[in-house]
Amino acid sequence: MNAFSRQLEETSSLSNQQILLGMLGSVIILIASTWGVISLLSYVQIYSVDPSNLVRYTMYMILASVAATVIAIIISVLMIRWPRIVSIPLRIHRFAKRSTGEYFLSPEPKDQSMSTVLRRSLYGSILVVGISLTVLGFDLMVADTSQIIPSGIFLMLASIIVLPITIMEFYFGPWLIKDSGLFHLDERDRSLSNVGDDLEDILEFFAGVDIILILIELTIRVGSTDPWLPIFIILIPLGPLFSIVLNFTIIFMVFKKKATLSMMEYLSTRYEVPDIHSSPDYIRSRVLALVERDLLMNPSSDQLIVPEVSIEVVVDESGISEPIETAPESITEDDS
């Protein structure tokens, strides 16, 4: 673990200024997106806004951001102390692979940047919305515009309830596994892949499918009368959730190196996964054996066998030498 720790320490982290600006931006996005939704509802005369409640509602939003920060710190500390609590995605991967192949650690720590934070936060917010829609089911969706407020609130509450578990297991978990450099060598499929990347691709696919199915369901039911309603139902939780997930991600970046090291130590001790520092020869031999097996079973058509050609020099009576090419007798015109 000392070698991995040095690797992690050599990577750059978010500066204190970037963390503070990110937290401030998260609060601003939360307030702006929430008030944007409320203003739009007021404009289309679905929900009336009482000007006397502006300050109170804004304070609720700030308190929600503070609560998200506290929950993010608790989750990060739990992952450092007990990394096994986010091992559910790994168990899913082992089940999907039917316990075939083998795992090994070969981390490549990456520098932290705000672009990574924003991209990951957008992915996490879409993931949470997709899982929340799955929890709700089609029958809980709105039938007309009069139900948009209770349905939107219900969707928001469901998202908040599943938020800590979803963030911990299906957002931070695969991310830690990917940054830990956990690779899976599948001899059956003759493939080598990063486990975290595979898990995120699967989760992103299912979350996207859930959202698309809800959009189709709502479009069929109310699209003819209120074509804006399906998109609006998705946007109600997506804006505020993006700011909350952004808050979670920034806090996670503060503890990310320790959490990643804790995850690598857990994988090495609990599952006895070999790593590139302690077992480099074994890992290289296993990977090379897979590549050589693939080359033997799937030879490239570009590899052509060129017959040897011998050149004889014949000198005629005039003293002029002429090279004569002679092919081996075993190679016919058809073979060449």
Side-chain angles (χ1 to χ4, degrees):
M1 290 299 107
N2 291 332
F4 292 136
S5 179
R6 288 193 296 270
Q7 266 187 292
L8 291 172
E9 291 300 329
E10 291 175 356
T11 60
S12 63
S13 304
L14 294 179
S15 64
N16 294 332
Q17 183 179 5
Q18 288 177 318
I19 294 174
L20 292 176
L21 289 176
M23 298 293 293
L24 179 61
S26 172
V27 176
I28 294 175
I29 293 173
L30 178 61
I31 296 176
S33 59
T34 305
W35 278 119
V37 172
I38 294 176
S39 301
L40 182 59
L41 292 174
S42 177
Y43 177 77
V44 297
Q45 299 180 353
I46 296 178
Y47 178 76
S48 60
V49 180
D50 186 0
S52 62
N53 293 327
L54 295 179
V55 177
R56 181 162 59 91
Y57 289 161
T58 303
M59 290 302 299
Y60 288 159
M61 299 172 196
I62 296 176
L63 289 176
S65 180
V66 174
T69 302
V70 174
I71 295 174
I73 294 174
I74 294 174
I75 291 177
S76 299
V77 173
L78 290 176
M79 289 188 300
I80 294 174
R81 293 288 301 275
W82 299 286
R84 64 177 179 273
I85 64 175
V86 292
S87 62
I88 291 179
L90 179 58
R91 297 177 184 176
I92 295 175
H93 187 272
R94 294 180 66 191
F95 175 79
K97 291 294 184 179
R98 299 177 180 87
S99 299
T100 59
E102 56 185 312
Y103 296 89
F104 64 87
L105 290 172
S106 180
E108 292 183 4
K110 297 182 180 179
D111 296 332
Q112 298 179 6
S113 63
M114 286 304 300
S115 61
T116 301
V117 172
L118 294 175
R119 178 175 54 83
R120 298 285 312 185
S121 300
L122 180 60
Y123 157 74
S125 58
I126 294 175
L127 180 65
V128 173
V129 171
I131 294 177
S132 300
L133 293 175
T134 303
V135 174
L136 288 176
F138 292 160
D139 55 334
L140 297 178
M141 289 293 94
V142 298
D144 51 48
T145 54
S146 63
Q147 299 178 6
I148 187 172
I149 294 299
S151 298
I153 294 175
F154 193 81
L155 177 59
M156 177 64 72
L157 291 176
S159 301
I160 293 174
I161 291 173
V162 303
L163 180 64
I165 298 176
T166 303
I167 290 293
M168 185 172 60
E169 295 292 343
F170 304 113
Y171 181 53
F172 289 154
W175 192 357
L176 281 178
I177 293 173
K178 180 173 69 174
D179 283 8
S180 298
L182 183 64
F183 285 85
H184 180 256
L185 186 66
D186 195 333
E187 296 180 353
R188 180 187 57 191
D189 298 334
R190 296 195 300 275
S191 63
L192 176 66
S193 60
N194 187 292
V195 177
D197 282 331
D198 291 343
L199 291 170
E200 288 187 343
D201 291 342
I202 294 173
L203 292 171
E204 187 176 3
F205 171 78
F206 280 107
V209 168
D210 289 335
I211 294 176
I212 292 174
L213 290 178
I214 291 295
L215 287 175
I216 294 175
E217 174 73 9
L218 291 174
T219 302
I220 293 174
R221 294 171 60 178
V222 298
S224 58
T225 57
D226 301 296
W228 56 273
L229 188 57
I231 299 295
F232 193 75
I233 286 293
I234 304 299
L235 292 180
I236 284 179
L238 189 58
L241 276 178
F242 172 74
S243 65
I244 294 176
V245 175
L246 176 62
N247 190 313
F248 272 73
T249 305
I250 292 174
I251 296 299
F252 174 70
M253 284 294 186
V254 179
F255 300 91
K256 184 172 176 292
K257 292 182 179 180
K258 292 183 179 179
T260 304
L261 187 63
S262 180
M263 174 60 70
M264 285 190 289
E265 186 175 1
Y266 169 73
L267 294 173
S268 180
T269 56
R270 171 63 177 83
Y271 296 101
E272 298 181 353
V273 178
D275 61 80
I276 195 64
H277 287 294
S278 61
S279 307
D281 295 334
Y282 172 76
I283 294 176
R284 292 191 187 99
S285 64
R286 298 297 295 161
V287 174
L288 289 176
L290 184 68
V291 174
E292 291 174 354
R293 178 187 172 192
D294 188 54
L295 290 176
L296 290 175
M297 299 185 66
N298 301 288
S300 175
S301 59
D302 296 334
Q303 296 177 350
L304 301 178
I305 300 176
V306 181
E308 296 182 357
V309 178
S310 61
I311 300 178
E312 298 180 359
V313 180
V314 179
V315 182
D316 57 14
E317 297 178 353
S318 62
I320 300 176
S321 61
E322 296 180 356
I324 301 177
E325 297 183 358
T326 59
E329 296 180 357
S330 60
I331 301 180
T332 62
E333 182 178 358
D334 293 336
D335 293 332
S336 61

